[in-house]
Amino acid sequence: TIDMRGPVGEFEYSECGNFKINDIAHNVKRFNMVAGGTGITPCYQVVDEILRNPNDETQISLIFACNDVNDLLCKATLDR
């Protein structure tokens, strides 16, 4: 069993792995995200921002689960 929670604090992604949590700057080369149900929404926003910027080389991993595939938000977009 793994116990997780989050997001904790205010998260703001700028570009190229640069982001802030509660106004403290951070930089990463890779985001590993875990989401369930409607928790996909904040993850999707970060993924979308990274993929829309051709200069952003930040790597992304997303593990997502929902009770029923028909409940999957953004399914068509995630399938691409």
Side-chain angles (χ1 to χ4, degrees):
T1 303
I2 298 174
D3 184 27
M4 296 184 197
R5 65 178 205 152
V8 177
E10 186 173 321
F11 180 90
E12 178 186 343
Y13 186 78
S14 52
E15 65 180 0
C16 299
N18 296 301
F19 64 98
K20 291 182 181 180
I21 298 177
N22 295 331
D23 290 325
I24 298 172
H26 301 275
N27 180 272
V28 295
K29 293 181 181 179
R30 176 180 200 87
F31 277 108
N32 296 306
M33 303 178 202
V34 178
T38 58
I40 189 71
T41 305
C43 294
Y44 177 78
Q45 291 172 335
V46 174
V47 169
D48 185 54
E49 185 66 28
I50 292 169
L51 295 178
R52 283 189 296 126
N53 181 347
N55 297 318
D56 195 331
E57 296 180 358
T58 306
Q59 298 175 358
I60 310 160
S61 294
L62 173 63
I63 298 172
F64 176 73
C66 61
N67 290 329
D68 186 328
V69 72
N70 295 319
D71 294 337
L72 182 57
L73 298 174
C74 313
K75 183 179 183 330
T77 303
L78 292 171
D79 284 343
R80 289 186 283 169

Coordinates of all heavy atoms in Angstrom, one line a residue:
T1 N 0.8 -1.2 0.0 CA 0.0 0.0 0.0 C 0.9 1.2 0.0 O 1.9 1.3 0.7 CB -0.9 0.0 1.2 OG1 -1.7 -1.2 1.3 CG2 -1.8 1.2 1.2
I2 N 0.5 2.2 -0.8 CA 1.2 3.5 -0.9 C 0.2 4.6 -0.5 O -0.9 4.6 -1.1 CB 1.8 3.8 -2.3 CG1 2.8 2.7 -2.7 CG2 2.4 5.1 -2.3 CD1 3.3 2.8 -4.1
D3 N 0.5 5.4 0.4 CA -0.3 6.5 0.8 C 0.3 7.8 0.2 O 1.4 8.1 0.4 CB -0.4 6.6 2.3 CG -1.3 7.7 2.8 OD1 -2.3 8.0 2.1 OD2 -1.1 8.2 3.9
M4 N -0.6 8.5 -0.6 CA -0.1 9.7 -1.3 C -1.1 10.8 -1.0 O -2.3 10.6 -0.8 CB 0.0 9.5 -2.8 CG 1.0 8.6 -3.2 SD 1.1 8.5 -5.0 CE 2.0 7.0 -5.2
R5 N -0.7 12.1 -1.2 CA -1.6 13.2 -1.1 C -1.0 14.3 -1.9 O 0.2 14.4 -2.2 CB -1.9 13.6 0.3 CG -0.6 14.1 1.0 CD -1.0 14.6 2.4 NE 0.1 15.5 2.8 CZ 0.0 16.5 3.6 NH1 -1.1 16.7 4.2 NH2 0.9 17.3 3.8
G6 N -1.8 15.3 -2.2 CA -1.3 16.4 -2.9 C -2.3 16.9 -3.9 O -3.4 16.3 -4.0
P7 N -2.1 18.0 -4.6 CA -0.9 18.8 -4.5 C -1.0 19.6 -3.1 O -2.0 19.8 -2.6 CB -1.0 19.8 -5.6 CG -2.5 19.8 -6.0 CD -3.0 18.5 -5.6
V8 N 0.2 19.9 -2.7 CA 0.3 20.7 -1.4 C 0.9 22.0 -1.7 O 2.0 22.1 -2.3 CB 1.2 19.9 -0.4 CG1 1.3 20.7 0.9 CG2 0.6 18.5 -0.1
G9 N 0.2 23.1 -1.4 CA 0.6 24.4 -1.7 C 0.2 24.9 -3.1 O -0.4 24.1 -3.8
E10 N 0.6 26.1 -3.4 CA 0.3 26.6 -4.7 C 1.4 26.3 -5.7 O 2.6 26.7 -5.5 CB 0.1 28.2 -4.6 CG -0.3 28.8 -5.9 CD -0.7 30.3 -5.7 OE1 -1.2 30.6 -4.7 OE2 -0.4 31.0 -6.6
F11 N 1.1 25.6 -6.8 CA 2.0 25.2 -7.8 C 1.9 26.1 -9.1 O 0.8 26.2 -9.6 CB 1.7 23.7 -8.2 CG 2.7 23.2 -9.2 CD1 3.9 22.6 -8.8 CD2 2.4 23.2 -10.6 CE1 4.7 22.1 -9.8 CE2 3.2 22.7 -11.5 CZ 4.4 22.1 -11.1
E12 N 3.0 26.6 -9.6 CA 3.0 27.4 -10.8 C 4.1 27.0 -11.7 O 5.3 27.1 -11.4 CB 3.1 28.9 -10.4 CG 3.2 29.8 -11.6 CD 3.5 31.2 -11.2 OE1 3.4 31.6 -10.0 OE2 3.9 32.0 -12.1
Y13 N 3.7 26.4 -12.9 CA 4.7 26.0 -13.9 C 5.0 27.1 -14.8 O 4.1 27.7 -15.4 CB 4.2 24.7 -14.6 CG 5.3 24.2 -15.5 CD1 6.3 23.4 -15.0 CD2 5.3 24.4 -16.9 CE1 7.4 22.9 -15.8 CE2 6.3 23.9 -17.7 CZ 7.3 23.2 -17.2 OH 8.3 22.7 -18.0
S14 N 6.3 27.4 -15.1 CA 6.6 28.5 -16.0 C 7.0 27.9 -17.4 O 6.3 27.9 -18.3 CB 7.6 29.4 -15.5 OG 8.7 28.8 -15.0
E15 N 8.2 27.2 -17.4 CA 8.6 26.5 -18.6 C 9.9 25.8 -18.4 O 10.6 26.1 -17.4 CB 8.8 27.5 -19.8 CG 9.8 28.5 -19.6 CD 10.0 29.5 -20.8 OE1 9.2 29.3 -21.8 OE2 10.8 30.4 -20.7
C16 N 10.3 24.9 -19.3 CA 11.5 24.2 -19.2 C 11.9 23.7 -17.9 O 13.1 23.8 -17.4 CB 12.6 25.1 -19.8 SG 12.3 25.6 -21.5
G17 N 11.0 23.0 -17.2 CA 11.3 22.4 -15.9 C 11.3 23.4 -14.7 O 11.5 23.0 -13.6
N18 N 11.0 24.7 -15.0 CA 11.0 25.7 -13.9 C 9.6 25.8 -13.4 O 8.6 26.0 -14.1 CB 11.5 27.0 -14.4 CG 12.9 27.0 -14.9 OD1 13.8 26.7 -14.1 ND2 13.1 27.3 -16.2
F19 N 9.5 25.8 -12.0 CA 8.2 26.0 -11.4 C 8.4 26.5 -10.0 O 9.5 26.5 -9.5 CB 7.4 24.6 -11.3 CG 8.1 23.6 -10.5 CD1 7.7 23.3 -9.2 CD2 9.1 22.8 -11.0 CE1 8.3 22.3 -8.4 CE2 9.7 21.8 -10.3 CZ 9.3 21.6 -9.0
K20 N 7.3 26.9 -9.4 CA 7.3 27.4 -8.0 C 6.2 26.7 -7.2 O 5.2 26.4 -7.7 CB 7.0 28.9 -8.0 CG 8.1 29.8 -8.6 CD 7.7 31.3 -8.5 CE 8.8 32.2 -9.1 NZ 8.4 33.6 -9.0
I21 N 6.6 26.4 -6.0 CA 5.6 26.0 -5.0 C 5.7 27.0 -3.9 O 6.7 27.2 -3.3 CB 5.9 24.6 -4.5 CG1 5.9 23.6 -5.6 CG2 5.0 24.2 -3.4 CD1 6.2 22.1 -5.2
N22 N 4.5 27.6 -3.6 CA 4.5 28.7 -2.6 C 5.6 29.7 -2.8 O 6.3 30.1 -1.8 CB 4.5 28.1 -1.2 CG 3.3 27.2 -0.9 OD1 2.2 27.5 -1.4 ND2 3.5 26.2 -0.1
D23 N 5.8 30.2 -4.0 CA 6.7 31.2 -4.4 C 8.2 30.8 -4.2 O 9.1 31.6 -4.3 CB 6.5 32.5 -3.7 CG 5.2 33.2 -4.2 OD1 4.9 33.1 -5.4 OD2 4.5 33.8 -3.4
I24 N 8.5 29.5 -4.0 CA 9.9 29.0 -3.9 C 10.2 28.4 -5.3 O 9.5 27.4 -5.7 CB 10.0 28.1 -2.8 CG1 9.7 28.8 -1.4 CG2 11.5 27.5 -2.7 CD1 9.7 27.9 -0.2
A25 N 11.2 28.8 -5.9 CA 11.6 28.4 -7.3 C 12.3 27.0 -7.2 O 13.1 26.7 -6.3 CB 12.5 29.4 -7.9
H26 N 11.9 26.1 -8.2 CA 12.5 24.8 -8.3 C 12.7 24.5 -9.8 O 12.1 25.2 -10.7 CB 11.5 23.7 -7.8 CG 11.2 23.9 -6.4 ND1 11.9 23.4 -5.3 CD2 10.1 24.5 -5.8 CE1 11.3 23.7 -4.2 NE2 10.2 24.3 -4.5
N27 N 13.6 23.6 -10.1 CA 13.9 23.2 -11.5 C 14.1 21.7 -11.5 O 14.8 21.1 -10.7 CB 15.1 23.9 -12.1 CG 15.4 23.5 -13.5 OD1 16.0 22.5 -13.8 ND2 14.8 24.2 -14.4
V28 N 13.4 21.0 -12.5 CA 13.6 19.6 -12.7 C 13.7 19.3 -14.1 O 13.4 20.1 -15.0 CB 12.3 18.8 -12.1 CG1 12.2 19.0 -10.6 CG2 11.1 19.3 -12.8
K29 N 14.2 18.1 -14.4 CA 14.3 17.6 -15.8 C 13.2 16.6 -16.1 O 12.9 16.4 -17.2 CB 15.7 16.8 -16.0 CG 16.9 17.7 -15.9 CD 18.1 16.9 -16.1 CE 19.4 17.8 -16.0 NZ 20.6 17.1 -16.1
R30 N 12.5 16.1 -15.0 CA 11.4 15.1 -15.2 C 10.3 15.3 -14.2 O 10.7 15.6 -13.0 CB 12.0 13.7 -15.1 CG 11.0 12.7 -15.2 CD 11.6 11.3 -15.1 NE 10.7 10.3 -15.7 CZ 10.7 10.0 -16.9 NH1 11.5 10.5 -17.8 NH2 9.8 9.1 -17.3
F31 N 9.1 15.2 -14.6 CA 7.9 15.2 -13.7 C 7.4 13.8 -13.7 O 7.1 13.2 -14.8 CB 6.8 16.1 -14.1 CG 7.0 17.5 -13.7 CD1 7.3 18.5 -14.7 CD2 6.8 17.9 -12.4 CE1 7.5 19.8 -14.3 CE2 7.0 19.2 -12.0 CZ 7.3 20.2 -12.9
N32 N 7.2 13.2 -12.5 CA 6.5 11.9 -12.4 C 5.2 12.2 -11.6 O 5.2 12.7 -10.5 CB 7.4 10.9 -11.5 CG 8.6 10.5 -12.3 OD1 8.6 10.1 -13.4 ND2 9.8 10.7 -11.6
M33 N 4.1 12.0 -12.3 CA 2.8 12.3 -11.8 C 1.9 11.1 -11.6 O 1.9 10.2 -12.4 CB 2.1 13.3 -12.7 CG 2.8 14.5 -13.0 SD 1.9 15.5 -14.2 CE 3.2 16.5 -14.9
V34 N 1.2 11.1 -10.5 CA 0.2 10.1 -10.2 C -1.1 10.8 -9.9 O -1.2 11.7 -9.1 CB 0.6 9.2 -8.9 CG1 -0.5 8.2 -8.6 CG2 2.0 8.6 -9.1
A35 N -2.2 10.3 -10.6 CA -3.5 11.0 -10.5 C -4.6 10.0 -10.6 O -4.5 8.9 -11.2 CB -3.7 12.0 -11.6
G36 N -5.7 10.3 -10.0 CA -6.9 9.4 -10.0 C -8.2 10.3 -10.2 O -8.2 11.4 -9.7
G37 N -9.1 9.8 -11.0 CA -10.3 10.5 -11.2 C -10.1 11.9 -11.7 O -9.3 12.2 -12.7
T38 N -10.8 12.9 -11.1 CA -10.7 14.3 -11.6 C -9.3 14.9 -11.2 O -9.0 16.0 -11.7 CB -11.8 15.2 -11.0 OG1 -11.7 15.1 -9.6 CG2 -13.1 14.7 -11.5
G39 N -8.5 14.2 -10.5 CA -7.1 14.6 -10.2 C -6.3 14.7 -11.5 O -5.1 15.2 -11.4
I40 N -6.8 14.3 -12.6 CA -6.0 14.4 -13.8 C -5.9 15.8 -14.3 O -5.0 16.2 -15.0 CB -6.7 13.5 -15.0 CG1 -5.8 13.5 -16.2 CG2 -8.1 14.1 -15.3 CD1 -4.6 12.7 -16.1
T41 N -6.9 16.7 -13.9 CA -6.9 18.0 -14.3 C -5.7 18.9 -14.1 O -5.1 19.4 -15.0 CB -8.2 18.8 -13.8 OG1 -9.3 18.0 -14.1 CG2 -8.3 20.2 -14.4
P42 N -5.2 19.0 -12.9 CA -3.9 19.7 -12.7 C -2.7 19.1 -13.4 O -1.9 19.8 -13.9 CB -3.7 19.8 -11.2 CG -4.6 18.7 -10.6 CD -5.7 18.5 -11.6
C43 N -2.7 17.8 -13.4 CA -1.6 17.1 -14.2 C -1.7 17.4 -15.6 O -0.7 17.7 -16.3 CB -1.6 15.6 -13.9 SG -1.3 15.1 -12.2
Y44 N -2.9 17.3 -16.2 CA -3.1 17.6 -17.6 C -2.6 19.0 -18.0 O -2.0 19.3 -19.0 CB -4.5 17.4 -18.0 CG -4.8 17.7 -19.4 CD1 -4.4 16.9 -20.5 CD2 -5.4 19.0 -19.8 CE1 -4.7 17.2 -21.8 CE2 -5.6 19.3 -21.1 CZ -5.2 18.4 -22.1 OH -5.4 18.7 -23.4
Q45 N -2.9 20.0 -17.1 CA -2.5 21.4 -17.4 C -1.0 21.5 -17.5 O -0.5 22.2 -18.4 CB -3.0 22.3 -16.3 CG -4.5 22.4 -16.3 CD -5.1 23.2 -15.1 OE1 -4.5 23.2 -14.1 NE2 -6.3 23.8 -15.3
V46 N -0.2 20.8 -16.6 CA 1.2 20.9 -16.7 C 1.7 20.2 -17.9 O 2.6 20.7 -18.7 CB 1.9 20.3 -15.4 CG1 3.4 20.2 -15.5 CG2 1.5 21.1 -14.2
V47 N 1.2 19.0 -18.2 CA 1.6 18.2 -19.4 C 1.3 19.0 -20.7 O 2.2 19.1 -21.5 CB 0.8 16.9 -19.5 CG1 1.0 16.2 -20.8 CG2 1.3 16.0 -18.3
D48 N 0.1 19.6 -20.7 CA -0.2 20.4 -21.9 C 0.7 21.6 -22.1 O 1.2 21.9 -23.2 CB -1.7 21.0 -21.8 CG -2.1 21.7 -23.0 OD1 -2.0 21.1 -24.1 OD2 -2.6 22.9 -22.9
E49 N 1.1 22.3 -21.0 CA 2.0 23.4 -21.1 C 3.4 22.9 -21.6 O 4.0 23.6 -22.5 CB 2.2 24.1 -19.7 CG 3.0 25.3 -19.7 CD 2.4 26.4 -20.5 OE1 1.2 26.5 -20.7 OE2 3.2 27.3 -21.0
I50 N 3.9 21.8 -21.1 CA 5.2 21.3 -21.6 C 5.1 20.9 -23.0 O 6.0 21.2 -23.8 CB 5.6 20.0 -20.7 CG1 5.9 20.5 -19.3 CG2 6.8 19.3 -21.3 CD1 6.0 19.4 -18.3
L51 N 4.1 20.2 -23.5 CA 4.0 19.7 -24.9 C 3.8 20.8 -25.9 O 4.1 20.7 -27.0 CB 2.9 18.7 -25.0 CG 3.2 17.4 -24.2 CD1 2.0 16.4 -24.3 CD2 4.5 16.7 -24.6
R52 N 3.2 21.9 -25.4 CA 2.9 23.0 -26.4 C 4.2 23.8 -26.7 O 4.2 24.6 -27.6 CB 1.8 24.0 -25.8 CG 0.4 23.4 -26.0 CD -0.7 24.4 -25.7 NE -0.7 24.8 -24.3 CZ -0.6 26.0 -23.9 NH1 -0.6 27.0 -24.7 NH2 -0.6 26.3 -22.6
N53 N 5.2 23.7 -25.8 CA 6.4 24.5 -26.0 C 7.5 23.6 -26.6 O 8.0 22.7 -25.9 CB 6.9 25.0 -24.6 CG 8.1 25.9 -24.7 OD1 8.8 25.9 -25.8 ND2 8.5 26.6 -23.7
P54 N 7.8 23.8 -27.9 CA 8.8 22.9 -28.5 C 10.2 23.0 -27.9 O 11.0 22.1 -28.1 CB 8.8 23.4 -30.0 CG 8.2 24.8 -29.9 CD 7.3 24.8 -28.8
N55 N 10.5 24.1 -27.1 CA 11.8 24.2 -26.5 C 11.8 23.6 -25.1 O 12.9 23.5 -24.5 CB 12.1 25.7 -26.4 CG 12.3 26.4 -27.7 OD1 12.9 25.8 -28.6 ND2 11.7 27.6 -27.9
D56 N 10.7 23.1 -24.6 CA 10.7 22.5 -23.3 C 11.0 21.1 -23.4 O 10.2 20.3 -23.9 CB 9.3 22.7 -22.7 CG 9.3 22.5 -21.2 OD1 10.1 21.6 -20.7 OD2 8.4 23.1 -20.5
E57 N 12.1 20.6 -22.9 CA 12.6 19.3 -23.0 C 12.3 18.5 -21.7 O 12.8 17.4 -21.5 CB 14.1 19.2 -23.3 CG 14.4 19.8 -24.6 CD 15.9 19.8 -25.0 OE1 16.7 19.3 -24.1 OE2 16.2 20.2 -26.1
T58 N 11.4 19.0 -20.8 CA 11.1 18.4 -19.6 C 10.4 17.0 -19.9 O 9.5 17.0 -20.7 CB 10.1 19.2 -18.7 OG1 10.7 20.5 -18.6 CG2 9.8 18.6 -17.4
Q59 N 10.8 16.0 -19.3 CA 10.3 14.6 -19.5 C 9.1 14.5 -18.5 O 9.0 15.0 -17.4 CB 11.3 13.6 -19.2 CG 12.5 13.6 -20.2 CD 13.5 12.6 -19.8 OE1 13.4 11.9 -18.9 NE2 14.6 12.6 -20.6
I60 N 8.1 13.7 -19.0 CA 6.9 13.5 -18.2 C 6.5 12.0 -18.1 O 6.6 11.3 -19.1 CB 5.7 14.2 -18.9 CG1 6.0 15.6 -19.3 CG2 4.4 14.2 -18.1 CD1 5.1 16.2 -20.4
S61 N 6.1 11.6 -16.9 CA 5.5 10.3 -16.7 C 4.2 10.5 -16.0 O 4.2 11.3 -15.0 CB 6.4 9.4 -15.9 OG 7.6 9.0 -16.6
L62 N 3.2 9.8 -16.4 CA 1.9 10.0 -15.7 C 1.3 8.6 -15.5 O 1.1 7.8 -16.5 CB 0.9 10.8 -16.6 CG -0.5 10.9 -16.2 CD1 -0.6 11.6 -14.8 CD2 -1.3 11.7 -17.2
I63 N 0.9 8.3 -14.3 CA 0.2 7.1 -13.9 C -1.2 7.6 -13.5 O -1.3 8.5 -12.6 CB 0.8 6.3 -12.8 CG1 2.2 5.8 -13.2 CG2 -0.1 5.2 -12.3 CD1 3.0 5.2 -12.0
F64 N -2.2 7.1 -14.2 CA -3.6 7.6 -14.0 C -4.6 6.4 -13.9 O -4.4 5.4 -14.6 CB -4.0 8.5 -15.1 CG -5.4 9.0 -15.0 CD1 -5.8 9.9 -14.1 CD2 -6.4 8.4 -15.8 CE1 -7.1 10.3 -13.9 CE2 -7.7 8.9 -15.7 CZ -8.1 9.8 -14.8
A65 N -5.5 6.5 -13.0 CA -6.5 5.5 -12.9 C -7.9 6.1 -12.6 O -8.0 7.2 -12.1 CB -6.2 4.5 -11.7
C66 N -8.9 5.4 -13.1 CA -10.3 5.8 -12.8 C -11.1 4.5 -12.7 O -10.7 3.4 -13.2 CB -10.9 6.7 -13.9 SG -10.9 6.1 -15.5
N67 N -12.3 4.6 -12.2 CA -13.2 3.4 -12.0 C -13.7 2.8 -13.3 O -13.8 1.6 -13.4 CB -14.3 3.7 -11.1 CG -13.9 4.0 -9.6 OD1 -12.9 3.4 -9.2 ND2 -14.6 4.8 -8.9
D68 N -14.0 3.7 -14.2 CA -14.6 3.2 -15.5 C -14.0 4.0 -16.6 O -13.9 5.2 -16.6 CB -16.1 3.4 -15.4 CG -16.8 2.9 -16.7 OD1 -16.3 2.9 -17.8 OD2 -18.0 2.5 -16.5
V69 N -13.5 3.4 -17.7 CA -12.9 4.0 -18.8 C -13.8 5.1 -19.4 O -13.4 6.1 -20.0 CB -12.4 3.0 -19.9 CG1 -13.6 2.4 -20.6 CG2 -11.5 3.7 -20.9
N70 N -15.1 4.9 -19.3 CA -16.1 6.0 -19.8 C -16.1 7.2 -18.9 O -16.6 8.3 -19.4 CB -17.5 5.4 -19.8 CG -17.6 4.2 -20.8 OD1 -17.1 4.3 -21.9 ND2 -18.3 3.2 -20.4
D71 N -15.5 7.2 -17.7 CA -15.4 8.3 -16.9 C -14.1 9.1 -17.1 O -13.9 10.1 -16.5 CB -15.4 7.9 -15.4 CG -16.7 7.3 -15.0 OD1 -17.7 7.6 -15.7 OD2 -16.8 6.6 -14.0
L72 N -13.2 8.6 -18.0 CA -11.9 9.2 -18.2 C -12.1 10.6 -18.8 O -12.5 10.7 -20.0 CB -11.1 8.3 -19.1 CG -9.7 8.7 -19.4 CD1 -8.9 8.9 -18.1 CD2 -9.0 7.7 -20.2
L73 N -11.6 11.6 -18.1 CA -11.6 13.0 -18.7 C -10.5 13.1 -19.7 O -9.4 12.5 -19.5 CB -11.4 14.0 -17.6 CG -12.4 14.1 -16.5 CD1 -12.0 15.0 -15.4 CD2 -13.8 14.5 -17.0
C74 N -10.7 13.9 -20.7 CA -9.6 14.1 -21.7 C -9.1 12.9 -22.4 O -8.0 12.8 -22.9 CB -8.5 14.9 -21.1 SG -8.8 16.3 -20.1
K75 N -9.9 11.8 -22.5 CA -9.5 10.5 -23.1 C -8.9 10.7 -24.5 O -7.8 10.2 -24.8 CB -10.6 9.5 -23.1 CG -10.1 8.1 -23.6 CD -11.2 7.1 -23.6 CE -10.8 5.7 -24.0 NZ -9.7 5.6 -24.9
A76 N -9.6 11.4 -25.4 CA -9.1 11.5 -26.7 C -7.7 12.2 -26.8 O -6.8 11.8 -27.5 CB -10.1 12.3 -27.6
T77 N -7.6 13.2 -26.0 CA -6.3 13.9 -25.9 C -5.2 13.1 -25.3 O -4.1 13.0 -25.9 CB -6.4 15.2 -25.1 OG1 -7.5 16.0 -25.7 CG2 -5.2 16.0 -25.1
L78 N -5.5 12.4 -24.3 CA -4.5 11.5 -23.6 C -4.1 10.3 -24.5 O -2.9 9.9 -24.5 CB -5.0 11.0 -22.3 CG -5.1 12.1 -21.2 CD1 -5.9 11.5 -20.0 CD2 -3.8 12.6 -20.8
D79 N -5.0 9.8 -25.3 CA -4.7 8.7 -26.2 C -3.7 9.1 -27.3 O -3.0 8.3 -27.9 CB -6.0 8.2 -26.9 CG -6.8 7.4 -26.0 OD1 -6.3 6.9 -25.0 OD2 -8.0 7.1 -26.3
R80 N -3.6 10.4 -27.7 CA -2.7 10.9 -28.7 C -1.3 10.8 -28.1 O -0.3 10.7 -28.2 CB -2.9 12.3 -29.1 CG -4.2 12.4 -29.9 CD -4.3 13.8 -30.4 NE -4.8 14.6 -29.3 CZ -4.9 15.9 -29.3 NH1 -4.6 16.6 -30.4 NH2 -5.4 16.6 -28.3

